[in-house]
Amino acid sequence: MKRKTTVLLLVLIVSSALCQAQEATFWQKVNYRLTKPAVVDTTFIYQPKAGFSLGLFSTGQKAGFDMKVDFDLIYDDGTKQPCLSTFNLSENLCRKIGLEVGYGNIGFGYGLEVGRRSAQKKQSFGLNIVGKSWGLHFNYFNLSNPFTTGIAIGEPGSQDYLEEQWTMEEMAVLSDLSIDGYYVFNNKRFAFPAAYKSGLVQRHTAGSWMVTARYIQGSLYNSPEAAAGSYNLFHCFSTLQASIGGGYSANFVLWHKDPTGQRDQGLRNITVNLTALPVITLGNYLKTITYTYDEESNHTGEKVYKVWCHPVPNYIGSVAASLTWNQFYFTTQFTYNRFFFRSRDAFNTTQFDLSEYDLHDVGFHGTFHDWTLKGLFVYRF
């Protein structure tokens, strides 16, 4: 009996030791992945020792959507007049402050809006993975605000020209989901993240060609009550876009000194990054909704039309400047995105249910735009 008990205890001890060894091996592998040095040309790139980092950031950003619909009105007597209806929905300047925590090659951040609210209602979420050779960005926002609409009828300067613009009290809802990624070809001598996050320092000026791809899913929703007071031909829409392209990014090193002591003492660096990535939007799908009303402006239904729009050029660009001083890192970054879509003669004019006149040559032009200015201060330890 004692022998069996002894054997059982030995088995338990050995099993526990094996489990602890396996667990230790697992966390060692995780730690190795997170702190693994990048394979780079050390003549051009310096890598501080991987460890923990704590950062504070402040951002200002603004997003919005503009829409223009131009068309010709053909009256019963054959008279033709050019028209332009406009729609604009945007937020006020959105100010955020937040905290970023990182370890090795991974980091997380969270920010809160401060000061005057940028919109009546807003939700936003972002996730950025920035690496020396590839990166992935995920961004979502949903904002609700009063919108501005207008109508222009006739030739500008003519006697019968009419133009009006007003802001509706009702709110429209704008939603946007974007996912994009990039790949850097010269990733051994060019550190794309150097001016955007701590972890890599560009020793000498270098650049690289890049390829990028982006997916956008956006929508604008107007309630039938809000749309009844506007002259817009389209009251709601949604779009899906797939883009691919490429461009060039360069790091200009204005000042660099290698560390002379432990924990990066003596490290000095100022780097400016310029990135331009034009893209072609090949997949460009548009769905529009037009509400119908009776003579007393009561909502009676809706008409839906779907169309694939023509490929269009779009643009992604950024500029950043960073200062590295010992274990401290500061960067300021500006990013601008503009994505638009258009279509002409692609709509069924019976969608609009107009009895007093006909519509001809209907053109739709929509633009998503957003910019972000960010300041980030990081301490590595």
Side-chain angles (χ1 to χ4, degrees):
M1 184 67 180
K2 291 183 178 180
R3 181 177 296 179
K4 291 183 178 180
T5 302
T6 303
V7 172
L8 180 58
L9 288 174
L10 289 174
V11 171
L12 291 175
I13 292 172
V14 171
S15 299
S16 177
L18 288 174
C19 289
Q20 290 179 359
Q22 291 175 352
E23 184 177 356
T25 302
F26 170 77
W27 289 113
Q28 287 173 356
K29 289 181 179 180
V30 172
N31 184 67
Y32 173 75
R33 291 288 183 182
L34 294 178
T35 60
K36 179 182 178 181
V39 181
V40 297
D41 185 340
T42 55
T43 304
F44 282 81
I45 299 174
Y46 171 73
Q47 297 182 75
K49 185 178 179 181
F52 289 97
S53 63
L54 180 64
L56 298 174
F57 69 85
S58 175
T59 63
Q61 58 186 135
K62 192 170 185 179
F65 172 76
D66 298 316
M67 178 177 70
K68 294 182 180 180
V69 181
D70 62 279
F71 54 95
D72 291 331
L73 280 179
I74 310 295
Y75 293 92
D76 292 339
D77 60 0
T79 305
K80 178 174 119 174
Q81 282 191 317
C83 298
L84 176 68
S85 70
T86 60
F87 180 98
N88 172 266
L89 174 64
S90 63
E91 63 176 338
N92 300 315
L93 180 63
C94 178
R95 305 174 183 86
K96 287 186 177 182
I97 59 173
L99 180 70
E100 288 191 0
V101 179
Y103 177 71
N105 302 319
I106 192 170
F108 300 93
Y110 181 77
L112 292 174
E113 189 172 356
V114 294
R116 178 188 174 189
R117 293 184 61 86
S118 63
Q120 294 293 330
K121 295 180 181 179
K122 181 178 180 180
Q123 297 175 324
S124 62
F125 175 78
L127 174 64
N128 297 316
I129 302 174
V130 180
K132 75 176 186 68
S133 56
W134 66 273
L136 185 66
H137 306 279
F138 173 93
N139 187 65
Y140 169 80
F141 73 82
N142 177 295
L143 66 91
S144 178
N145 245 1
F147 61 93
T148 301
T149 185
I151 186 72
I153 302 176
E155 293 286 352
S158 63
Q159 186 175 359
D160 58 351
Y161 179 70
L162 172 66
E163 182 177 10
E164 292 187 13
Q165 190 176 72
W166 59 98
T167 299
M168 307 295 293
E169 294 182 359
E170 293 83 357
M171 292 188 294
V173 180
L174 179 67
S175 299
D176 178 80
L177 167 67
S178 63
I179 304 172
D180 61 84
Y182 67 83
Y183 180 79
V184 180
F185 289 101
N186 184 23
N187 53 65
K188 288 184 172 57
R189 293 188 171 186
F190 171 64
F192 176 71
Y196 296 88
K197 56 173 287 190
S198 62
L200 292 175
V201 179
Q202 188 78 52
R203 273 178 161 156
H204 301 288
T205 296
S208 175
W209 293 101
M210 300 173 63
V211 292
T212 185
R214 167 169 285 199
Y215 170 80
I216 289 182
Q217 180 176 328
S219 67
L220 175 73
Y221 172 77
N222 262 322
S223 68
E225 294 75 21
S230 68
Y231 288 99
N232 292 309
L233 296 181
F234 308 104
H235 299 132
C236 302
F237 85 94
S238 61
T239 181
L240 301 176
Q241 295 189 6
S243 308
I244 189 170
Y248 197 81
S249 180
N251 283 337
F252 299 94
V253 180
L254 307 183
W255 182 36
H256 180 79
K257 288 185 176 181
D258 284 329
T260 56
Q262 295 182 349
R263 303 179 65 84
D264 294 325
Q265 292 300 311
L267 178 61
R268 307 285 189 269
N269 183 274
I270 296 178
T271 298
V272 176
N273 174 267
L274 297 176
T275 301
L277 298 173
V279 298
I280 296 294
T281 301
L282 300 175
N284 202 348
Y285 174 78
L286 179 65
K287 173 184 174 181
T288 62
I289 297 176
T290 300
Y291 295 129
T292 57
Y293 303 87
D294 59 20
E295 295 180 356
E296 298 179 353
S297 297
N298 295 316
H299 177 227
T300 58
E302 58 187 39
K303 293 187 176 182
V304 180
Y305 196 68
K306 304 174 183 179
V307 63
W308 284 96
C309 302
H310 305 298
V312 292
N314 279 303
Y315 179 79
I316 304 171
S318 64
V319 58
S322 67
L323 167 66
T324 303
W325 191 282
N326 298 337
Q327 295 167 267
F328 297 95
Y329 175 84
F330 175 77
T331 176
T332 180
Q333 312 160 13
F334 178 78
T335 303
Y336 176 73
N337 294 297
R338 185 204 65 179
F339 272 74
F340 69 93
F341 45 93
R342 62 174 180 259
S343 182
R344 181 170 295 278
D345 293 330
F347 299 99
N348 184 352
T349 55
T350 61
Q351 173 182 358
F352 307 117
D353 194 24
L354 303 174
S355 56
E356 299 180 1
Y357 40 78
D358 293 328
L359 296 182
H360 283 244
D361 196 23
V362 180
F364 180 97
H365 308 263
T367 306
F368 282 104
H369 52 84
D370 69 88
W371 61 263
T372 301
L373 178 64
K374 179 179 181 179
L376 172 65
F377 178 78
V378 178
Y379 173 66
R380 294 181 287 104
F381 57 95

